[in-house]
Amino acid sequence: MADNLIKIAYLYEDLMNTYGDSGDVKIVSHLLKKDGYDTQVDNISLGDEFNADDYDFVFFGGGQDFEQTVVAKDLPRHKDTLEKYVNSGNPMLCICGGYQLMGDYYKTNSGVTIKGLGIFPLHTVFKSDKRMIGDTKYMTEWGEVQAFENHSGQTYFDNTDRLHTFGDMIEGYGNNPQDKKEGLRYRNFIGSYSHGPLLKNVNIANAIVKMIIARHNDRLNQATSNEVAE
Ligand code: GLN
């Protein structure tokens, strides 16, 4: 394993990339290059093999209901590897449609229920009242974030002991119109409704880059101790 090569998996880049989400991967790559790392971005699409253990960062962007339906059929193959990766505290960022698919289900405005991976106890439903669209502002543990949201799904946590939100809304909706909360933070997993892309907020980008470098160093140490053991 090359010492300074950071490997990034972009899940379904060709289908899940709304409102500038690909920019999140570009910003992370740019910051890592500035820190002296090389980066390799693998686009994992329908039918592709994927093992999260091979990566330092996994990204899953937003998508329209139709693309989510297509992706949801292929996604269950990756449940075990993603669940283990996330539960071991490795960095992953999911935006909007990708975030919804990490939960139990998303019931769309046409009454279709798209099954999610069920890695997190949360669900998303369309309610007739409103599409949540516009600029957002919220406070996170890394400071203020300004972004853009556009979704009809409203996300609700089913186990608030285990799940913590990513931010407290100042402007806009976030997860749903009632809670005034944005996204999900679980160990080094961030789920968010923020497009624009989110990581134009350099405080969040830097926090994620730090997680990625820590993960990379762990993988390097692991590879070295495996070699010693052989
Ligand atoms: N299709 C989903 C919704 O409308 C997600 C939208 C998105 O990813 N931008 O809620």
Side-chain angles (χ1 to χ4, degrees), residues 18-19 62-65 68 95-97 100 106 131 150-153 193 195:
T18 44
Y19 318 119
Q64 311 301 339
D65 293 0
Q68 286 178 280
I95 305 293
C96 201
Q100 294 170 346
Y106 164 36
R131 186 167 182 92
N150 186 353
H151 53 113
S152 61
Y193 271 108
H195 303 284

Side-chain angles (χ1 to χ4, degrees), residues 3 12 25 62 71 74 99 113 122 127 129 134 137 139 144 153 179 192-193 199 211 215 226:
D3 283 12
Y12 307 97
V25 172
V71 165
D74 190 66
Y99 164 42
T113 299
L122 57 85
K127 292 189 181 170
D129 41 358
K137 200 197 273 190
M139 190 54 76
E144 191 177 289
D179 294 348
S192 170
Y193 271 108
L199 298 187
M211 295 173 195
R215 156 73 173 162
N226 287 349

Side-chain angles (χ1 to χ4, degrees), residues 151-167:
H151 53 113
S152 61
Q154 304 187 7
T155 295
Y156 296 89
F157 290 180
D158 298 312
N159 179 342
T160 40
D161 291 341
R162 185 173 156 218
L163 302 186
H164 299 281
T165 46
F166 173 46

